[in-house]
Amino acid sequence: MRRKSMTSVELARLAGVSSATVSRAFAAGSSMKPATRARILALADEHGFRPNAMARVLNNSQSRLVALVVNTVANPAEAEGLDQLIMRLQEQERLPLVLRCADHEDRNRLMRIASTYQVDHVVLYSDAVSIDDAIAIFHSAVPIIASSEPLAGRDVSDVRLDARAATVEVVSHLVAQGRRRFVYLCGRASSHVDKQRRGWFSAALEAHGLAFDIVEHGDYSYDSGYKEAALLLRRTRPDAVICANDLMAIGVKDAAAALGFAVPTDLAIVGHDGVALASWDSHAITTIAPRPGVVSAALADIIDEPNDAPPVRRVIECMVRWGRSTGDLPRS
Amino acid sequence: MRRKSMTSVELARLAGVSSATVSRAFAAGSSMKPATRARILALADEHGFRPNAMARVLNNSQSRLVALVVNTVANPAEAEGLDQLIMRLQEQERLPLVLRCADHEDRNRLMRIASTYQVDHVVLYSDAVSIDDAIAIFHSAVPIIASSEPLAGRDVSDVRLDARAATVEVVSHLVAQGRRRFVYLCGRASSHVDKQRRGWFSAALEAHGLAFDIVEHGDYSYDSGYKEAALLLRRTRPDAVICANDLMAIGVKDAAAALGFAVPTDLAIVGHDGVALASWDSHAITTIAPRPGVVSAALADIIDEPNDAPPVRRVIECMVRWGRSTGDLPRS
DNA sequence: CAGCAAAATGTAAGCGTGTACATTCAGCCG
DNA sequence: CGGCTGAATGTACACGCTTACATTTTGCTG
């Protein structure tokens, strides 16, 4: 087994042409007699010949590989977006190289290894690595598309979310229900996305002359939502919790149920990200998120742009997806 | 931007050595003066030099790339295992190339593209593609590690599950509770994994002289579990449903709740795969699954074996993870 | 049918490494 | 100090493809 596969020179000999012609037969744009191309492709098919991508990359520098830097694939919020993105990339004949950075002692080592494979693009999907580290390691050789940190003039494209309006919408609804004791549950307090969400929430509350508590010990997991809510509900008595993501929101909901708090009567719960399971019957969490697939589409579009195009900055508006966790739907 | 990166020849000139020496400095096993190696590595670090993997692969045929063929990354059952596997591969200095095959008009096109990149191994993680297609496309060049179809003497390693004992355990428990009207809800009736699970279930029931109904319209999604359960509960009146996976089991649970059936009193529910969310408070589904991480560890071990090693067949025993969906825990 | 332009194909030089083989070098013994 | 040995390094080619440039073929026009 592991038999060496055929090379373009061998195929060329079989077809009675030169290896250059074989190469051209596989290059879409090059001009050649259709009959010759057809003959070569048929022969290639027959003998199972496929051009070696390594050799191709070696002299074009177009690997069609995209490094996707994520925290973990296990978290639905990342996984669902990633799934869409991978699908799009594959439609572009690109292949994703997944760098899973959570729990990884040295994320930079991982990026260094990946950079070795001449990836055309890097998508910093999670905020697990710093943009500056990424720039240093891929030494500006490949466009980096971030969706987290602020960019401050760095030569990098990005796609980010705007949930200002959606947050105002949710908060107004909750205030109209008479809720006054708000809490924000962080995922990772130092994360930029987290800070933004907190900021929008804070602004929306201030418009009503209200303040809020912050719980900083979350980690985006169901368990941390559950644990923090259990502590919180025994101590202060909030009547609305906004969570940095949906998983924690569900944890909060389960903790509330276990402690005998009624949702949404006693406690309203809001999540972020709009993962599929948030709208399952048993959860029905109100969540703030972009329309599904929009972020991945934007990322894929940017990637498909010519390499010398200037960096792109896209902002995507979030929506509210109402669930039962915030009580009756607003009029509208 | 996109400045061309340094080559080993340029670095060699800077270090006053030949490119061969640079190459040796990066190869772990090769004998050379420690001082020279240190000097070269320091210089490489300083100038951001990293050997080009494409060029390396071109003459060793050791890409350290692994193609992971999956259905979708969005499904927690696949995603959680995948996450573990990717982590392991990264520890081995390997990089995963993810082929997402669901919804993809032509999965074989995708595999053909991937085969171009000289992947060292292929893991057929989902049963979305046929082993024979995979063998044909990667033309026996790379070991294929399947976890689905039966192999029938094909020259391929595999890891598969054995849930016979676990299924007997669950079924005995349910029968002891007096349940008699069993239903099995398929994910994809034609899938081998599905057939196996059905078979174990059938055998376990037969041991008690019982038979069961099959619902073949599931598709592994929450929604399909919900829909089929809604139909089922109105028609026949099962008192136990075994589902091909956990997501459908949760769908069944939610449908039962919506229709006023009490779980587990009126209806017991069992899932497969042991996804994390199955044991959340709001679900607490009893599920049949291997110990977390064992499958990925086995796959990673097989991949790390020398390439000329004979195919490996590993069978992994499943356990029951009890939840509230099957009533009181059995004695034990 | 000569003559010429355009299309098709061939030639050969890389792309950046690894490695077999050749060479040099350092150290040791007689 | 010559000669020998093993370690360290250099030389040069191969890996499989793309591509600029050279050459041949084709198709037309006068």
Side-chain angles (χ1 to χ4, degrees):
Chain A
M1 96 176 270
R2 188 135 202 142
R3 77 167 175 272
K4 215 162 99 343
S5 55
M6 170 176 268
T7 76
S8 66
V9 180
E10 298 175 90
L11 187 69
R13 203 164 28 72
L14 285 179
V17 297
S18 78
S19 79
T21 304
V22 170
S23 177
R24 279 187 281 255
F26 281 90
S30 56
S31 90
M32 66 182 298
K33 211 158 102 190
T36 315
R37 164 168 287 151
R39 186 161 47 91
I40 292 175
L41 291 181
L43 233 74
D45 200 47
E46 181 186 342
H47 292 81
F49 168 81
R50 304 234 75 217
N52 183 324
M54 300 296 167
R56 171 172 50 77
V57 175
L58 196 53
N59 55 12
N60 310 332
S61 301
Q62 279 281 1
S63 67
R64 305 200 73 78
L65 293 176
V66 179
L68 303 183
V69 181
V70 305
N71 255 310
T72 147
V73 179
N75 183 312
E78 279 186 274
E80 291 177 11
L82 205 62
D83 191 63
Q84 294 285 323
L85 179 55
I86 293 178
M87 201 178 68
R88 301 266 178 184
L89 293 178
Q90 288 176 355
E91 286 165 4
Q92 303 174 359
E93 313 262 289
R94 290 179 205 282
L95 249 32
L97 223 40
V98 176
L99 310 195
R100 181 205 182 273
C101 286
D103 313 342
H104 207 285
E105 76 291 353
D106 184 4
R107 316 156 196 298
N108 288 355
R109 188 185 65 99
L110 217 47
M111 291 204 285
R112 264 189 287 269
I113 295 177
S115 76
T116 276
Y117 286 82
Q118 315 301 107
V119 297
D120 291 339
H121 303 268
V122 179
V123 179
L124 303 183
Y125 206 85
S126 78
D127 46 5
V129 302
S130 97
I131 293 193
D132 288 323
D133 283 357
I135 290 179
I137 289 169
F138 291 96
H139 48 69
S140 309
V142 287
I144 293 175
I145 294 147
S147 20
S148 48
E149 279 182 69
L151 297 171
R154 278 171 282 205
D155 188 23
V156 161
S157 294
D158 92 324
V159 173
R160 61 181 64 245
L161 301 180
D162 182 354
R164 179 178 303 279
T167 307
V168 166
E169 195 181 343
V170 170
V171 166
S172 302
H173 178 62
L174 295 177
V175 170
Q177 294 176 335
R179 307 190 192 261
R180 294 294 178 272
R181 300 186 307 282
F182 288 82
V183 171
Y184 180 84
L185 174 52
C186 293
R188 189 150 46 88
S190 63
S191 143
H192 178 254
V193 172
D194 216 281
K195 284 182 194 153
Q196 269 191 314
R197 292 180 177 177
R198 229 178 306 160
W200 290 319
F201 177 50
S202 160
L205 272 182
E206 270 171 26
H208 294 276
L210 296 169
F212 65 105
D213 284 344
I214 296 189
V215 176
E216 297 202 337
H217 311 295
D219 67 0
Y220 293 120
S221 70
Y222 169 89
D223 287 342
S224 80
Y226 194 105
K227 203 184 77 191
E228 294 307 324
L231 293 173
L232 194 64
L233 291 172
R234 270 192 270 262
R235 216 172 44 209
T236 78
R237 290 287 176 102
D239 52 19
V241 180
I242 277 67
C243 303
N245 76 344
D246 292 331
L247 257 52
M248 290 197 298
I250 295 172
V252 169
K253 186 207 61 172
D254 281 1
L259 293 173
F261 289 81
V263 174
T265 320
D266 302 335
L267 183 72
I269 302 173
V270 178
H272 277 92
D273 291 343
V275 298
L277 58 91
S279 40
W280 287 357
D281 238 33
S282 31
H283 305 308
I285 297 286
T286 294
T287 178
I288 298 176
R291 253 184 271 271
V294 175
V295 171
S296 351
L299 289 170
D301 287 349
I302 294 177
I303 288 174
D304 217 24
E305 225 138 77
N307 257 348
D308 48 10
V312 177
R313 306 282 156 106
R314 290 244 341 234
V315 175
I316 291 176
E317 189 75 19
C318 290
M319 318 279 303
V320 185
R321 203 194 303 165
W322 296 101
R324 294 193 309 274
S325 69
T326 46
D328 299 330
L329 297 192
R331 61 262 162 252
S332 94
Chain B
M1 91 179 271
R2 189 137 202 140
R3 76 167 176 273
K4 215 161 97 352
S5 58
M6 169 177 269
T7 76
S8 67
V9 180
E10 298 176 88
L11 187 69
R13 204 165 27 73
L14 286 179
V17 296
S18 77
S19 80
T21 304
V22 171
S23 177
R24 279 187 280 257
F26 281 90
S30 55
S31 90
M32 66 183 297
K33 214 158 99 187
T36 315
R37 163 170 286 151
R39 185 162 46 90
I40 291 175
L41 292 182
L43 234 72
D45 200 48
E46 181 186 341
H47 292 78
F49 168 80
R50 304 235 74 216
N52 183 325
M54 299 297 167
R56 171 172 49 77
V57 175
L58 197 52
N59 60 4
N60 321 326
S61 302
Q62 277 281 0
S63 66
R64 304 201 75 79
L65 293 176
V66 179
L68 304 184
V69 180
V70 306
N71 255 310
T72 147
V73 179
N75 183 313
E78 279 186 273
E80 290 176 12
L82 206 61
D83 192 62
Q84 294 284 323
L85 179 55
I86 293 178
M87 200 178 69
R88 301 267 177 180
L89 292 178
Q90 287 177 171
E91 285 165 3
Q92 301 172 1
E93 313 260 292
R94 292 179 205 281
L95 248 33
L97 222 41
V98 176
L99 310 195
R100 181 206 182 271
C101 287
D103 312 343
H104 207 285
E105 74 293 351
D106 185 5
R107 315 154 196 301
N108 289 355
R109 187 185 66 101
L110 217 47
M111 291 204 286
R112 263 189 288 268
I113 295 178
S115 76
T116 276
Y117 286 82
Q118 315 301 105
V119 297
D120 291 340
H121 304 267
V122 179
V123 179
L124 303 183
Y125 206 84
S126 76
D127 45 6
V129 300
S130 96
I131 294 192
D132 288 322
D133 283 358
I135 290 179
I137 290 171
F138 291 97
H139 49 66
S140 310
V142 288
I144 293 174
I145 295 148
S147 18
S148 48
E149 280 181 68
L151 297 170
R154 278 171 284 205
D155 189 22
V156 160
S157 293
D158 92 327
V159 173
R160 59 182 63 247
L161 302 179
D162 181 353
R164 179 180 303 277
T167 306
V168 166
E169 195 180 343
V170 171
V171 166
S172 302
H173 178 60
L174 295 177
V175 169
Q177 293 174 335
R179 306 190 193 259
R180 294 295 178 268
R181 300 185 308 282
F182 288 84
V183 170
Y184 180 84
L185 174 51
C186 292
R188 189 148 46 89
S190 63
S191 143
H192 179 253
V193 173
D194 217 281
K195 284 181 196 156
Q196 270 191 313
R197 293 181 177 175
R198 229 179 305 161
W200 289 319
F201 178 49
S202 160
L205 273 182
E206 271 171 25
H208 294 275
L210 295 169
F212 66 105
D213 283 345
I214 296 188
V215 177
E216 296 202 337
H217 312 296
D219 66 2
Y220 294 120
S221 71
Y222 170 88
D223 287 341
S224 80
Y226 195 103
K227 203 184 77 189
E228 295 305 324
L231 293 174
L232 195 64
L233 291 172
R234 269 192 270 262
R235 216 172 43 208
T236 77
R237 290 288 177 99
D239 52 19
V241 179
I242 277 68
C243 303
N245 77 343
D246 292 331
L247 258 53
M248 290 198 297
I250 295 172
V252 169
K253 186 207 61 174
D254 282 1
L259 293 173
F261 289 80
V263 173
T265 322
D266 302 336
L267 183 71
I269 301 173
V270 177
H272 278 90
D273 291 342
V275 299
L277 59 91
S279 41
W280 289 356
D281 239 32
S282 30
H283 305 308
I285 296 286
T286 294
T287 177
I288 297 175
R291 254 184 270 271
V294 174
V295 171
S296 353
L299 288 170
D301 287 349
I302 294 178
I303 288 175
D304 217 24
E305 224 137 78
N307 258 346
D308 47 11
V312 177
R313 307 281 157 106
R314 292 243 342 232
V315 175
I316 291 175
E317 190 75 19
C318 291
M319 318 279 305
V320 183
R321 205 193 302 165
W322 296 101
R324 293 192 310 275
S325 70
T326 46
D328 300 330
L329 297 192
R331 62 266 165 252
S332 97

